[in-house]
Amino acid sequence: MIVSFLWKMIKDKRYNVVKNLIESGHINLFRQVFDILPKSVVYKDLGMNNARFTNLMENVELFVVNDLFRIADLIGIEKLQILQMIMNQYELDNKGR
């Protein structure tokens, strides 16, 4: 029981890789995060299911701000950074519409 609890408390090391890539400017779109970090890690850490998270990834404007802030906390970045990444992704997705 305790081992199970502690295992859930250990963050995936790829969150740190993503953080460094964001801070160095190599990741500036939300979906680029998932080139490094599997979405299954994130949706499980958020307590979401695959279908819902996939829909949110494809339609970033549907994210609840609190969920974005939780993702920022998991990655270890400022909340404004995740909001900027979402905005960049939204603008790219809707370019030419």
Side-chain angles (χ1 to χ4, degrees), residues 5-68:
F5 174 76
L6 291 175
W7 180 251
K8 289 182 181 182
M9 296 299 298
I10 298 171
K11 268 195 337 187
D12 191 294
K13 293 178 183 181
R14 291 169 286 194
Y15 279 118
N16 237 6
V17 173
V18 169
K19 176 184 178 180
N20 292 334
L21 289 170
I22 291 169
E23 291 178 345
S24 67
H26 290 89
I27 290 179
N28 57 15
L29 297 169
F30 181 72
R31 284 195 294 269
Q32 289 176 322
V33 167
F34 305 100
D35 293 338
I36 307 298
L37 184 64
K39 71 177 183 175
S40 61
V41 171
V42 178
Y43 73 69
K44 287 177 185 175
D45 285 346
L46 293 173
M48 289 185 187
N49 66 45
N50 181 35
R52 178 166 186 257
F53 195 74
T54 299
N55 184 49
L56 293 172
M57 283 179 60
E58 293 171 0
N59 304 283
V60 294
E61 68 276 10
L62 299 178
F63 262 105
V64 175
V65 174
N66 186 56
D67 290 336
L68 294 173

Side-chain angles (χ1 to χ4, degrees), residues 54-94:
T54 299
N55 184 49
L56 293 172
M57 283 179 60
E58 293 171 0
N59 304 283
V60 294
E61 68 276 10
L62 299 178
F63 262 105
V64 175
V65 174
N66 186 56
D67 290 336
L68 294 173
F69 289 171
R70 290 173 56 208
I71 293 170
D73 289 342
L74 287 167
I75 296 171
I77 60 172
E78 296 293 322
K79 290 167 177 53
L80 282 176
Q81 285 177 291
I82 197 78
L83 293 174
Q84 185 62 57
M85 291 168 57
I86 289 291
M87 186 64 187
N88 294 345
Q89 188 70 62
Y90 177 79
E91 288 175 347
L92 181 67
D93 290 351
N94 291 284

